[in-house]
Amino acid sequence: MKILKLPKDKLDYFASVVQQFGEVHAPVEQDGKYVFKRLTRWSEARLAYDRTILPPKKYFLPPKEPLLVYRPGEGYVAPAGDVQHRLVLFGVHACDVYALNILDLVFAGKYPDPYYQARRKNIAIIGIDCVPDGKCFCRSMRADFVDHGFDLFFCDIGGHYLTFVGSALGDDMVLATETLFETVSPADIDEYKRRSGAKHEAFQLDVEIRDLPEIFEMEYGSAIWDDLGAQCLSCGSCSAVCPTCYCFDMNDEAVLGSRAGTRSRNWDSCLFSTHALVAGGENFRESRSSRIKFRFYHKQRGFVAEYGRPSCVGCGRCITACPVDIDIVEVLAALRETRHAATH
Ligand code: SF4
Ligand code: SF4
């Protein structure tokens, strides 16, 4: 991978040049929180942010997306959607890039999704390093560093950003800015390593994921799940903010009085009471405890069995979003620490 450096005082100019690669979106402050949105001017961008309310997932898997329209005489046709719209997401954290790599396993793997794949192709990603806060545990989930899934990735080394070039498009961005980027010196490498080590030590939360799927296997009947079910409101906030939750529902919206309509997919959540409701009225996960248990099992055990790693990246969003303070780190610690009374 090519590694260069960009002087920090040239970032504004670089940002103006990358506009030729697509509409630039970046984290913007809104009521004391951060959201990814289209910039009207570069000065709106906040690159030193903790986390955005919704992850970049919203660009690749929109909350509501028309998949086809049907009209008499035309049959089913693809809507004139925005999948070919070129965007540049500026300032994506490593955990969120990692989460997109996880979504790639689902939407660009065995069952490729053309809508997701088109967006992945047309949306450039410029990552930026971050400082962990009291809700981050991406180090534990091995998602505090990414080596693919982005076009450029910036790491603060003082007066410069050390820049990893992750794709041919990233290389084009570097070339378009001509002499802006510089060669990395041995002192830059030392500074990068010093800061990388300091970041590693700065995490306040730790989750031991070794043998976690096996612990889930053994704790299937734990009282923890009933306790969580008694607290959970089934609001679905944890799924909405999660960068790796991808469940969706399909709906047909017919135009009254005609034979035309639109089929769209909408974000769904396994926490919703209707998620496992099937024709005939059977509900496979009727209780709240069974639903929250399913969410944990899918992320920490089922996904590992299918793809070899948990689907949680440790971004901490679900901890921040839960109205009743259900904390994934505390749940995982409690599962590991539970002791069972001797029966003999
Ligand atoms: S489960 Fe929670 S911490 Fe893990 S990726 Fe999803 S929102 Fe982030
Ligand atoms: S955010 Fe909290 S209360 Fe809402 S569904 Fe998730 S765990 Fe339950």
Side-chain angles (χ1 to χ4, degrees), residues 231-239 271 292 318 321-326:
Q231 297 170 56
C232 176
L233 306 175
S234 292
C235 67
S237 298
C238 50
S239 307
L271 279 310
I292 192 161
C318 56
C322 181
V324 293
D325 297 328
I326 291 175

